[in-house]
Amino acid sequence: MDNASTSTSTMSPAREAATNLVSQWMALWNGDYAIAEKIISEHNRVHAAMLDGGDGSAVGGVSGMVGFVTQGRSLASDLTFSVEVGPIVEGDYVVVRWVATGHYEGGMPGAGAPAGTAVTFHGTDILRVADAQIVEYWLNGDTLDLMTQLQVGAP
């Protein structure tokens, strides 16, 4: 029997749905704001350590997420997010490890890095999904690594 015909497998419906959602999630983070209404619930809650010291609870719904993504991209408009690991699917949860690369454009208070500095940083997103939309989002981004590259607080 031919090995190729015996080793083919199909993705489970849950894995296929998660992979599709993560592709759209990455598209949102890569600047495709039109996708937001399709994948973000109006009741979405964000859990994240924010640069202003907040916990992310002020970011809610579709418009809040679009604003959050826009703010995240404001330091590097060429920022490109891609999946490193995942999606990992467990019940209603989807986990993805990502990497972001781009070039700093300036404007971060206290940053010593010149505009044009290449940046790369990583993070992990946990998404809780209901009715094919993200209803809860936990962000764990390596902000220390990014701030170090931007020389924030450096003498």
Side-chain angles (χ1 to χ4, degrees):
M1 185 175 263
D2 179 71
N3 237 1
S5 64
T6 60
S7 65
T8 59
S9 64
T10 59
M11 238 189 273
S12 74
R15 175 117 178 111
E16 188 172 346
T19 300
N20 185 43
L21 180 66
V22 166
S23 293
Q24 293 173 29
W25 179 247
M26 288 293 115
L28 172 64
W29 278 97
N30 285 324
D32 182 0
Y33 302 120
I35 197 80
E37 285 189 21
K38 179 179 178 187
I39 65 169
I40 305 295
S41 166
E42 212 33 74
H43 305 287
N44 182 54
R45 288 199 51 210
V46 174
H47 308 274
M50 309 296 276
L51 291 177
D52 67 2
D55 64 1
S57 61
V59 179
V62 176
S63 62
M65 271 307 302
V66 169
F68 185 56
V69 172
T70 300
Q71 181 182 21
R73 297 183 56 77
S74 68
L75 297 175
S77 62
D78 69 342
L79 206 55
T80 301
F81 288 81
S82 57
V83 174
E84 277 190 321
V85 177
I88 300 168
V89 182
E90 179 67 33
D92 294 342
Y93 294 90
V94 177
V95 180
V96 62
R97 172 82 173 163
W98 49 261
V99 60
T101 58
H103 295 86
Y104 174 58
E105 293 177 0
M108 168 68 79
T117 298
V119 295
T120 299
F121 60 103
H122 301 83
T124 302
D125 292 345
I126 302 172
L127 311 171
R128 187 169 67 83
V129 180
D131 298 323
Q133 287 190 314
I134 298 165
V135 295
E136 217 163 354
Y137 166 43
W138 289 264
L139 167 62
N140 184 352
D142 194 344
T143 307
L144 177 59
D145 187 23
L146 177 61
M147 295 298 116
T148 300
Q149 292 173 63
L150 297 179
Q151 302 170 23
V152 173

